[in-house]
Amino acid sequence: MSQGNSLAVERSRAAELRTVSAARDAINGKVKGIRALLPFLGPAFIASIAYIDPGNFATNIQSGARFGYKMLWVIVLANLMALLLQNMSAKLGISTGKSLPEVCRENMPKWLTITMWVVSELAAMATDLAEFLGATLALNLLAGIPMLYATIITGIVTYLILMLEKYGFRPLEKFIVAFALLIGLCYLVETVLSKPNLSLIAYHSVVPWVGNNESIMLAVGVIGATVMPHAIYLHSSLTQGRIIPRNDMEKIKIQKFSTKEILIAMSLAGFVNLAMMYMAASVFNTSGNSQIADISTAYHTLTPLLGSAAASVFLISLLASGVSSSVVGTMAGQVIMQGFVGFTIPLWIRRLVTMLPTVIIVAMGVDPTRTLVISQVVLSIVLPFPVIALIYFTQRKDLMGVLTNKRITTITSTLFAILILGLNLWLIFQTFFA
């Protein structure tokens, strides 16, 4: 390692120690308010990136263009599901000091652990496929870079960002938080430019509307694109090694700070998803462009309707989403392998392997939006595995101790799991048999 790199690592470690020290002060009540929360910010923002990836762009835009504001309630429901599940995942990491895959390996039969590892790796690859395609498409539309070259550029950029991990947890966290805030800012701008109907947003965010088979299909797609298996696995790992609790009281206090961070991060993700859909409703549905079903068409339609600035902001948010979510997806892949089977592969190999499907699809000229839809079906098949495992382990007092789920948490998460499982079975049936 060069002297410059050594110095950078030492500075990062010193910053990490300051973060831990500041967290201890917050736990001990020496600081209050926002200053007390700051050292705990990071894990939930990293996980939240998975909830605003390019798969969300595709489903939200299609739903808003086709049905206007009527499906906003689905995003609210999906976000509530995600908030509860991410909180449970973080709590598992804080309580046990282990990730969800590690807990699965230690408490499940080997055949089941291997099965979960295989399907989780498939989900990670499907997720990375969607994220890579989103960033690639954004580079293609924004800068005119050919799709194949854009794919390679995306792979190199995400690998370089992942290299920040060697400097400790803080630099990478700051980078991802910056991406999340950039995406949020882009959709704040889009909200101003698209001038949505606020009363319709308020009404349809809380009043369910079912519609027909097409709207149900899209609703399942929205939930499938929002509640992500790899984010559930990853969050339990992100909380376990940052601020290590020394006793039960510290576990409770750290969990409270974690819950506050999750509320902030998931609220930001929820706003972005709502903004995607109500922008499409305001711009496309009301102008008679209700058949828009892909990102490229949405971009080209935005230009004459709202101007080049709005279209460019849209692509910047897509690029930030694709790059950052691909980074998070690779992190999750490492956690999944390490947890389920106890070993990892070099980061560059994982980056290369997970980007190969995208390179092949782009080289073959396959429709990116169709590929995004297929990737969401794969995620729908895998999602019940981590959700059921998470519910089972977080209600076990022998594992969770003082952070064991309350009865209402277990009941609510079980109802969510039943709903997710039912919708996913319906989606699979409609996709392959209808």
Side-chain angles (χ1 to χ4, degrees), residues 65 70 73 157 183 188 196 203 369 379 381 403 408 426-427:
K70 293 178 181 178
W73 69 274
V157 169
I183 297 167
L188 187 61
Y203 179 80
T369 301
L379 293 176
I381 296 170
L403 296 183
I408 185 65
W426 187 90
L427 174 63

Side-chain angles (χ1 to χ4, degrees), residues 175-188:
F175 209 94
I176 298 297
V177 170
F179 269 113
L181 294 176
L182 173 61
I183 297 167
L185 179 62
C186 285
Y187 271 92
L188 187 61

